[in-house]
Amino acid sequence: ASYGGGERGKNSRLREMSDVAVALVPAASAKALKDALKVRGWLSTARRPAMVGGRIAFPLADGAEDAIALAASTPPFCDIEAVERIATDALAVKKAPPPQKQKPHSAHKARVAAAPTRPRAQERSFGGGAAVRGSSMLPPAAAVQRVECGDADYEWLQRQVFSGRRPAVLSGLPLGECVGGWSADRLARAHCASPSVSVHVCASSTVDLAGHRPANTPRNFVFRSMPFAEAVRRCSGSGGGGGGGDGGGDGGDGGGDFGPILEPLLNAGERYYLRSVGGDTRKEAADFPRTFPDLARECNLLPPRPDKEGDGA
């Protein structure tokens, strides 16, 4: 009996080596589910997805089956039709990247020694330099000038602030209708010159942007394109996505009717980050007046220059 039990255990292990767990999902939900599985580390990186019985089979990482079972009632995992084990040879193996050519050790060492010394890429001087004093190669940052503007005009600001060419915090400027008037409802109704905007969608409360996460680690967010009005709805919490950032949650103070509740893109409580970019994200810088013309008319960042008064600039 003891020998037989050992054989059965051995056969079970052999079967597990010859098959792989997959999540079977409809094609319409494939993109959202793939991103959600990848963000949580539940998607296997060893094999490629494949079509199985008219559905897309995503290979799962070890231990992902139990985690998916616990999350089965929450979007988007509720769209998974089944979790099954299929033959390993039904999924193609991902090809390993070609090996990098190794440079001669002596030549590489000489180049490193001759390279100019510079601050580390992640180092910031703002707020006094590195957290541990003495370890930073950057000079300590000077205190930022704070200026109470009151009824200052452009010429006064030019003399007192701009001519110094140093960072400054300006307070007391009359910014216009945007102060207290830009509710979520108002922003959602604003004209946006771009048909869609690119939004970072993150399943956790912290978005690990490039330059703020350890090197060679995957990002914890996905990109989604959507109309600007939808982005406002989701960020304000009125769209049903769970709110984005510290200010979301109650739909703003506009009290507008935002229509039907929007389903989360990854899961309930997800966060959103909208980075303003130009029409051509690779070539054009962000241009607020061009992208949001009616909002720009409600926002006066600085007093008008004397040579621009009266011409609508």
Side-chain angles (χ1 to χ4, degrees):
S2 174
Y3 177 77
E7 282 297 309
R8 285 194 295 271
K10 180 179 179 181
N11 292 337
S12 175
R13 288 192 295 274
L14 289 174
R15 283 195 299 273
E16 290 182 359
M17 293 173 61
S18 62
D19 59 25
V20 60
V22 297
L24 299 176
V25 305
S29 306
K31 177 61 176 174
L33 280 165
K34 178 183 178 182
D35 291 338
L37 291 170
K38 186 175 181 180
V39 166
R40 289 164 179 75
W42 298 347
L43 185 66
S44 172
T45 58
R47 295 186 177 273
R48 299 182 180 279
M51 291 295 296
V52 176
R55 297 172 294 183
I56 298 179
F58 287 113
L60 300 178
D62 293 340
E65 294 172 83
D66 294 337
I68 290 176
L70 294 175
S73 61
T74 60
F77 303 107
C78 56
D79 291 337
I80 295 177
E81 296 183 355
V83 175
E84 300 177 357
R85 301 194 74 87
I86 64 174
T88 303
D89 54 11
L91 302 177
V93 178
K94 286 188 175 181
K95 294 182 180 179
Q100 298 290 328
K101 292 184 179 180
Q102 297 295 326
K103 298 177 181 178
H105 176 71
S106 57
H108 175 68
K109 187 174 182 180
R111 279 193 294 271
V112 171
T117 303
R118 60 184 181 182
R120 296 186 298 273
Q122 301 295 321
E123 192 172 7
R124 301 288 189 272
S125 65
F126 307 113
V132 181
R133 300 312 307 161
S135 66
S136 175
M137 299 179 65
L138 296 175
V144 177
Q145 179 185 13
R146 296 179 178 272
V147 181
E148 180 63 38
C149 299
D151 57 354
D153 58 15
Y154 185 89
E155 293 180 345
W156 185 89
L157 289 172
Q158 179 65 34
R159 292 192 306 271
Q160 301 295 325
V161 183
F162 303 154
S163 60
R165 302 183 64 83
R166 291 189 299 271
V169 176
L170 309 182
S171 60
L173 287 171
L175 299 182
E177 299 176 39
C178 58
V179 179
W182 281 2
S183 63
D185 178 58
R186 172 67 188 98
L187 294 176
R189 289 186 287 105
H191 170 67
C192 179
S194 299
S196 63
V197 293
S198 180
V199 178
H200 298 58
V201 183
C202 183
S204 64
S205 59
T206 302
V207 182
D208 290 336
L209 300 175
H212 298 275
R213 61 175 182 265
N216 302 319
T217 57
R219 63 191 183 203
N220 70 340
F221 60 88
V222 297
F223 293 99
R224 285 289 181 268
S225 293
M226 64 187 71
F228 177 68
E230 179 182 338
V232 172
R233 291 175 59 189
R234 291 186 179 277
C235 290
S236 69
S238 55
D246 296 332
D250 62 359
D253 57 3
D257 180 7
F258 282 100
I261 297 298
L262 298 174
E263 292 294 332
L265 298 173
L266 297 180
N267 60 258
E270 63 194 19
R271 301 303 177 98
Y272 310 97
Y273 164 62
L274 170 61
R275 179 177 57 197
S276 179
V277 294
D280 185 334
T281 58
R282 295 183 180 274
K283 298 180 180 180
E284 296 181 10
D287 189 333
F288 176 62
R290 180 178 175 183
T291 307
F292 303 99
D294 53 345
L295 291 180
R297 288 191 290 270
E298 299 174 4
C299 179
N300 304 315
L301 294 181
L302 293 172
R305 293 174 54 176
D307 57 342
K308 298 293 184 179
E309 289 183 309
D311 63 358

